[in-house]
Amino acid sequence: SRQNLFIDAQTGAVLETENLIHNGDSKGVAKTRYSDTQRIVTDSLNMTSYRLRETGRGGGVETFNMRKGTNYGTAVDFTDADNFWNNTNTNWDEVATDAHWGAEKTFDFFKILFNRNSFDNNNAKIRSYVHYSSNYANAFWNGSVMTYGDGSTSSSLKVPLTALDVCGHEIAHAVTTYSAGLIYSYESGALNESFSDVFGNAIERWARSKKWNWRIGEDITSSGNGIRNMA
């Protein structure tokens, strides 16, 4: 980071920041695992290298590869040579674009429909971490970032949990953190989960209207019945 900071001399408040590092956002195309082919925004490092980062939405949207680890500090960028993301392989790297596109659409949903600027309404950066741990059948918001496991052979969730409604669900937890602040326990915890389900399904209906139903997580359950049915 390199910035000019404009400070109120009396209060010490930051009045404005000017980024001196200029990023090159690029329009890419992604063949996602769960949501067909979608347009995404990426960061152009050079003419033959792109990464899943953008600066156009709030403080940015960034998606990282944890390579089955649990240390966020060792996560690396997903990269592509031509900005046509067709990264299907044995590691399921194609799901990275599901998480990236899902975060972009969730930002757009809250901005366009509610004029909310990211989950904190102050243009917070949305960071998603894919391929978390091994045989981990869960996704979560940890208070600062979104995290997605690859599923587990011993669970009904055997594939990565980066479906659109799950992405919306997790980012909605962050909205709750910065708005209602519902404690994740007992009744308030149940309300917290319920609001995330409502938003997750609403985001899927808004962003993927031709491939939508009332179920949460229908894309990631082997039966197609989802984890919960909002009907």
Side-chain angles (χ1 to χ4, degrees), residues 170-190:
E170 298 307 333
I171 297 172
H173 276 308
V175 174
T176 297
T177 296
Y178 281 90
S179 56
L182 291 167
I183 301 299
Y184 200 74
S185 178
Y186 296 101
E187 290 89 346
S188 58

Side-chain angles (χ1 to χ4, degrees), residues 24-125:
D25 281 348
S26 301
K27 294 180 179 179
V29 175
K31 295 192 71 173
T32 70
R33 181 182 179 93
Y34 304 117
S35 296
D36 304 320
T37 300
Q38 301 291 345
R39 297 186 181 277
I40 60 174
V41 180
T42 65
D43 177 38
S44 173
L45 295 170
N46 55 57
M47 292 299 292
T48 59
S49 182
Y50 300 83
R51 59 184 179 175
L52 293 179
R53 302 192 192 191
E54 68 138 293
T55 61
R57 289 173 168 88
V61 176
E62 300 179 350
T63 306
F64 299 100
N65 185 358
M66 296 201 71
R67 299 178 294 180
K68 300 187 184 300
T70 58
N71 183 348
Y72 293 94
T74 61
V76 299
D77 281 296
F78 288 95
T79 59
D80 188 80
D82 59 6
N83 217 14
F84 179 78
W85 296 75
N86 186 19
N87 298 4
T88 303
N89 55 35
T90 57
N91 292 323
W92 292 330
D93 283 343
E94 70 273 19
V95 303
T97 54
D98 285 276
H100 194 71
W101 179 72
E104 290 179 332
K105 292 295 101 178
T106 300
F107 179 96
D108 292 345
F109 173 86
F110 282 109
K111 177 62 176 176
I112 293 170
L113 298 185
F114 301 101
N115 197 31
R116 187 175 183 86
N117 297 303
S118 193
F119 54 79
D120 67 345
N121 201 27
N122 194 31
N123 285 316
K125 182 180 294 185

Side-chain angles (χ1 to χ4, degrees), residues 121-134:
N121 201 27
N122 194 31
N123 285 316
K125 182 180 294 185
I126 301 177
R127 290 174 293 163
S128 302
Y129 290 81
V130 180
H131 299 324
Y132 176 84
S133 194
S134 180

